[in-house]
Amino acid sequence: MALLITTACINCDMCLPECPNQAIYEGAKIYEIDPQRCTECVGFYESPTCIAVCPIDCIKPDPLHIESKDQLQIKFNSLNLLGN
């Protein structure tokens, strides 16, 4: 499933440069994750790098965007074939 950043975010800028899919962006109040671009780092790393660098543990699975590893791999392939 895609990830989301909770309102506990302190805008520390740690996660933004870590996202290989450029799914993280600066929202109105906190950083946000585009579920269409988030693959939980499938295709790049063993686990999501944004979660690993978040100092306050505010990045969680998004219950509105449940996806299997296979679906995340398909999304990764699609994003990389289109050059996005």
Side-chain angles (χ1 to χ4, degrees), residues 1-19 23-25 30-34 38 40-41 47-63:
M1 72 180 56
L3 300 172
L4 67 84
I5 298 174
T6 70
T7 56
C9 175
I10 59 171
N11 294 316
C12 69
D13 297 324
M14 293 296 291
C15 61
L16 185 65
E18 295 299 321
C19 182
I24 299 174
Y25 61 95
I30 60 172
Y31 281 101
E32 297 182 33
I33 298 176
D34 179 351
C38 179
E40 293 186 43
C41 291
S47 60
T49 57
C50 61
I51 291 175
V53 300
C54 181
I56 60 167
D57 193 32
C58 70
I59 303 173
K60 307 289 182 197
D62 185 345

Side-chain angles (χ1 to χ4, degrees), residues 40-76:
E40 293 186 43
C41 291
V42 167
F44 289 102
Y45 307 113
E46 292 295 316
S47 60
T49 57
C50 61
I51 291 175
V53 300
C54 181
I56 60 167
D57 193 32
C58 70
I59 303 173
K60 307 289 182 197
D62 185 345
L64 298 178
H65 296 95
I66 298 171
E67 298 166 293
S68 69
K69 281 271 197 204
D70 289 338
Q71 290 170 311
L72 292 170
Q73 184 66 52
I74 290 168
K75 187 191 303 184
F76 164 82

